Amino acid sequence: MSTYFPPGLPTDPPVLDPETRPYWAAAEQDSLVVPFCTACEQHFWYPRGFCPRCTGDAVEWPRVSGHGEIYSYSVVRRGFGAWAKHTPFVIAWVTLDIGVTVLTNVVGCTEDQLAVGLPVTALFEAGDGNPPALRFTPRAGS
Ligand SMILES: [Zn+2]
């Protein structure tokens, strides 16, 4: 029987500052926005108020589909603090269809489903009184 990785992982308190407010406001609405530099015409990750390529602050926050695929993953079998009682869980790099790669968790899947290239979609998990955490789950039909 394949291990199932349920949703409901702990959330950690993020650093909340004014320049990332658009990201967190969208997350509270279950909507993923990814910063976009209008000078470079490219998205970038992680959320911040300036472009890491050109250091410009011409940043927009468009909503994106949240579709991507697993670039790499690992099953974590030992955790610390709040994570210890949620093992095993999956930590993964997910590359979104807009080109950015996000360090995240994959939930709602079995170990047999996990694969590099698995199509996934974003979801936000609230909990612990912290803002929602961005996670991914296999796309329907995958
Ligand atoms: Zn730029």
Side-chain angles (χ1 to χ4, degrees), residues 9-10 75-89:
L9 293 174
V75 176
V76 179
R77 299 185 191 281
R78 291 186 183 194
F80 296 95
W83 293 83
K85 63 184 174 197
H86 293 277
T87 56
F89 60 87

Side-chain angles (χ1 to χ4, degrees), residues 36-42 44 50-59:
F36 180 86
C37 175
T38 59
C40 297
E41 297 185 337
Q42 292 184 54
F44 59 87
F50 66 93
C51 172
R53 290 183 193 86
C54 72
T55 69
D57 63 358
V59 175

Side-chain angles (χ1 to χ4, degrees), residues 30-77:
D30 287 326
S31 178
L32 178 60
V33 297
V34 174
F36 180 86
C37 175
T38 59
C40 297
E41 297 185 337
Q42 292 184 54
H43 288 274
F44 59 87
W45 189 260
Y46 56 87
R48 66 201 109 166
F50 66 93
C51 172
R53 290 183 193 86
C54 72
T55 69
D57 63 358
V59 175
E60 295 178 347
W61 299 82
R63 183 176 180 175
V64 300
S65 72
H67 289 175
E69 65 177 37
I70 293 178
Y71 173 78
S72 185
Y73 69 91
S74 182
V75 176
V76 179
R77 299 185 191 281

Side-chain angles (χ1 to χ4, degrees), residues 85-125:
K85 63 184 174 197
H86 293 277
T87 56
F89 60 87
V90 180
I91 188 164
W93 288 102
V94 167
T95 301
L96 297 180
D97 59 6
I98 54 170
V100 299
T101 302
V102 178
L103 182 61
T104 185
N105 300 108
V106 177
V107 298
C109 69
T110 65
E111 193 160 6
D112 288 347
Q113 283 179 285
L114 288 172
V116 170
L118 178 72
V120 291
T121 190
L123 62 88
F124 284 95
E125 286 196 301

